Amino acid sequence: MASTQVKRLLTAIAVIALVIMAITGKIENANKRFLSVATASTGGTYYPMGVGLANVWSHHLKQENIQVTGQSSAGSIENIDLLQKNEAQLAILQSLIAVEAYQGVRSFKNHPYQDLRSISVLWPNVEHFVLVDDKVKDGTLNDIAGTRFSVGPQASGTEQSTLIILQGVNLSKQKIHPEYLGYGDTVSAMRDGRLDGGALPAGVPASAVTDMYASGVPARILNVTDEQLKKINAIANSWFRFIIKPETYPRQKQPIHTIAQPNILMTTRKIDEKTIYELTKVMFENQKEVHQIHSSAKYILPENALKGVSVPLHLGAYRYYREIGLNIPDYLVPPELKSTNNQH
């Protein structure tokens, strides 16, 4: 009899304990802020970068009850959609796509997304315009005219950015013989003599370009002049000067003066200032952990934070950069701050 009562008592205690735990868990979760970072497919750099940053944020902002997770997606264009629907609160975007969405041009014609805000550049997509030696005249983008040139797979970010760059140097698909190949296939076709060159934007060093140099394809990376950069940015203000140091690739003895387009951490105006301030601060004040996420993450430094950013900053990121004394150009000042100042 006594043992039955003890069993009942223990069962009752266990049930009460479970209820308390469930309630406590609910209260904890009720106080927690869940944020999601939209990245791209799991095969590229976006996904490991997003997941890595999410882990660093969640670890350091535990006391603030902020938990961040990375989610895979189809990439920049879908990420805009996820931000608009609040299915993601943060996203990694190609600078070009961010500018198009904010201004409502090209892919986003008549659908401007004015709530979009920048946090920081993460790493650069460096333009590698490669061309076989016997087509090289002045060693710049001008040499692409009339060649059999791969602009990247159809409907890809590579194709979109390549066509804008070509437009900046008065070239178009009509003035070249375009092909639509991926990176590895571009180098293979050049090796076989079926193609003169191609656009291979990527983090440095790009494996396809290393392969091109190492396997003895008689080709090189073209330079982009200051004048060409200016004309390209007049069409879509997304690129900045990038120098590929000598010996980055096998047999590459000279520095290459090319351009890069940043991949940027973005959010929306609707996320509160304190949250974005905390995320920005944690990212820049735990550099050792951040740089271990991926080889490209070593670029995440305060001095690179605004290189090539064209969409205004979020108030939280703006506040952090002001605190550390970063020079912020006028066009990156949050519009909500400008409107407040105008009212005073």
Side-chain angles (χ1 to χ4, degrees):
M1 185 78 179
S3 68
T4 311
Q5 283 177 328
V6 170
K7 272 184 186 167
R8 279 183 186 156
L9 185 63
L10 289 173
T11 306
I13 290 168
V15 168
I16 292 164
L18 283 171
V19 170
I20 290 168
M21 279 163 72
I23 291 168
T24 313
K26 262 194 172 166
I27 291 167
E28 273 183 17
N29 279 346
N31 294 333
K32 251 191 190 157
R33 185 78 196 278
F34 291 97
L35 301 171
S36 177
V37 192
T39 62
S41 63
T42 53
T45 310
Y46 275 45
Y47 183 73
M49 191 73 88
V51 170
L53 284 170
N55 291 340
V56 171
W57 285 323
S58 298
H59 172 66
H60 286 279
L61 295 173
K62 216 176 192 164
Q63 306 318 115
E64 308 282 333
N65 284 323
I66 290 175
Q67 190 170 333
V68 194
T69 50
Q71 67 167 322
S72 63
S73 75
S76 295
I77 289 179
E78 192 197 356
N79 291 354
I80 297 278
D81 191 44
L82 293 169
L83 286 173
Q84 283 177 314
K85 292 175 177 165
N86 196 30
E87 286 172 26
Q89 293 70 45
L90 304 158
I92 302 175
L93 301 178
Q94 253 189 39
S95 170
L96 176 67
I97 304 297
V99 172
E100 287 183 356
Y102 187 70
Q103 294 176 347
V105 296
R106 284 181 286 275
S107 308
F108 301 90
K109 197 168 172 56
N110 303 326
H111 300 287
Y113 186 32
Q114 300 269 285
D115 285 346
L116 199 59
R117 295 290 179 269
S118 303
I119 299 176
S120 170
V121 169
L122 295 179
W123 78 100
N125 242 352
V126 180
E127 303 293 347
H128 296 75
F129 281 87
V130 298
L131 196 65
V132 292
D133 289 339
D134 61 7
K135 296 286 177 184
V136 173
K137 298 178 191 81
D138 72 0
T140 78
L141 298 182
N142 296 331
D143 295 342
I144 297 168
T147 63
R148 295 167 299 170
F149 198 83
S150 171
V151 295
Q154 277 177 317
S156 66
T158 298
E159 183 195 12
Q160 206 170 343
S161 56
T162 300
L163 293 179
I164 287 170
I165 290 170
L166 291 179
Q167 196 186 330
V169 293
N170 301 319
L171 290 175
S172 61
K173 283 184 186 178
Q174 286 68 45
K175 293 183 181 176
I176 61 170
H177 304 282
E179 294 286 342
Y180 302 91
L181 303 175
Y183 294 15
D185 291 341
T186 295
V187 173
S188 295
M190 287 169 71
R191 189 181 291 117
D192 300 344
R194 291 179 286 119
L195 191 68
D196 298 318
L200 309 170
V204 170
S207 54
V209 181
T210 301
D211 174 42
M212 180 191 87
Y213 277 104
S215 61
V217 178
R220 69 183 74 173
I221 304 166
L222 297 172
N223 287 298
V224 181
T225 67
D226 288 343
E227 186 61 24
Q228 287 169 342
L229 170 57
K230 201 171 156 190
K231 285 180 177 170
I232 292 160
N233 275 339
I235 298 165
N237 189 14
S238 297
W239 284 270
F240 61 93
R241 168 67 63 211
F242 191 96
I243 294 170
I244 301 174
K245 291 175 182 154
E247 306 298 338
T248 298
Y249 295 106
R251 302 188 292 115
Q252 180 225 331
K253 300 282 181 271
Q254 300 298 321
I256 295 153
H257 295 259
T258 184
I259 56 176
Q261 176 197 161
N263 293 308
I264 304 179
L265 180 66
M266 307 291 295
T267 185
T268 82
R269 184 174 65 85
K270 297 188 167 129
I271 309 298
D272 64 284
E273 181 182 337
K274 183 177 185 293
T275 300
I276 301 300
Y277 171 81
E278 297 287 0
L279 294 173
T280 311
K281 188 179 169 79
V282 163
M283 185 167 73
F284 286 113
E285 297 189 0
N286 296 281
Q287 296 274 268
K288 199 176 169 195
E289 282 170 68
V290 168
H291 292 172
Q292 282 168 350
I293 292 170
H294 190 278
S295 58
S296 298
K298 289 179 177 58
Y299 193 82
I300 301 173
L301 296 163
E303 58 265 33
N304 295 331
L306 305 179
K307 279 186 183 174
V309 178
S310 300
V311 174
L313 288 165
H314 186 281
L315 276 169
Y318 176 78
R319 184 177 132 204
Y320 178 74
Y321 296 140
R322 285 288 302 271
E323 266 180 27
I324 63 168
L326 211 59
N327 187 25
I328 302 164
D330 276 351
Y331 59 86
L332 292 185
V333 174
E336 35 287 329
L337 206 62
K338 287 180 177 173
S339 56
T340 321
N341 290 346
N342 291 342
Q343 286 163 14
H344 290 315

